[in-house]
Amino acid sequence: MEQSVEKKYNKWIVVLSVAIPLVVALLFGVNLRKLGYDVEPLSFLPPIYATINGITAILLVVAVLAIKNGKRALHERLIKLAIACSVAFLGMYVAYHMTSDSTKFGGEGLVKYLYYFILITHILLSIVIIPFVLVTYVRAISKSFERHKKIAKITFPLWLYVAVTGVIVYLMISPYYAH
């Protein structure tokens, strides 16, 4: 039974794992103001979506602690909330970039290389994490808990890295936002 539930979701996992990064990349390149639309820049969003990334990181850590303490229902609720936060982040991130000009990082020297290393690994792993989160979630809802635990040991640190580095990227670039 576990395998049939997973099989049912596999095509959706593939579709979402490809579609989400493609749609985000496409929308990232669309600036509504440059296309002539009279929209206000959503410049208030970066601290909000950075905070949501921070909340996601906290939720992930608390969810792991919950499951280690045998609190499966709490673990499940926290993970669902972490997924919702990640989706909310993505929506706000795209909305901000569709209405605002990109901000150039102004740091120099070693800090510039550190920033770009963190940014690039954050972006790449934010793409990689999508199928991991989806597969991990599907294995849980299909009650394939041993297989869920195996992949969760990979998913958790990757997702946590993406959430934490999202906050770090914001903190590093925020001094350069136009005010």
Side-chain angles (χ1 to χ4, degrees), residues 11-167:
K11 68 176 151 235
W12 286 108
I13 290 169
V14 171
V15 167
L16 290 171
S17 296
V18 172
I20 292 171
L22 284 177
V23 169
V24 169
L26 284 170
L27 293 177
F28 189 84
V30 172
N31 187 305
L32 296 174
R33 292 172 52 234
K34 289 179 182 171
L35 291 174
Y37 292 97
D38 186 25
V39 294
E40 286 295 312
L42 300 176
S43 53
F44 62 92
L45 285 178
I48 295 170
Y49 62 66
T51 300
I52 288 174
N53 261 333
I55 291 167
T56 301
I58 292 165
L59 289 169
L60 291 171
V61 170
V62 175
V64 167
L65 293 173
I67 200 64
K68 285 183 184 268
N69 288 307
K71 298 177 180 177
R72 187 181 285 173
L74 176 60
H75 172 78
E76 183 180 343
R77 286 194 303 272
L78 291 167
I79 292 298
K80 285 179 180 177
L81 197 50
I83 291 170
C85 283
S86 292
V87 170
F89 161 82
L90 199 53
M92 285 185 245
Y93 177 81
V94 169
Y96 169 75
H97 284 284
M98 288 181 72
T99 62
S100 305
D101 293 328
S102 288
T103 301
K104 300 282 184 245
F105 182 72
E108 296 177 4
L110 186 61
V111 74
K112 181 178 180 178
Y113 294 108
L114 179 63
Y115 171 78
Y116 282 108
F117 173 80
I118 294 169
L119 177 64
I120 290 166
T121 58
H122 170 79
I123 291 168
L124 293 175
L125 290 175
S126 71
I127 295 166
V128 168
I129 197 61
I130 295 167
F132 276 93
V133 169
L134 296 172
V135 169
T136 305
Y137 185 75
V138 167
R139 286 183 180 178
I141 64 172
S142 67
K143 301 193 184 333
S144 182
F145 295 119
E146 282 308 310
R147 294 175 71 236
H148 166 79
K149 274 172 54 175
K150 265 187 182 174
I151 195 168
K153 288 178 182 183
I154 300 166
T155 304
F156 169 71
L158 291 176
W159 195 1
L160 185 62
Y161 180 87
V162 169
V164 170
T165 55
V167 176

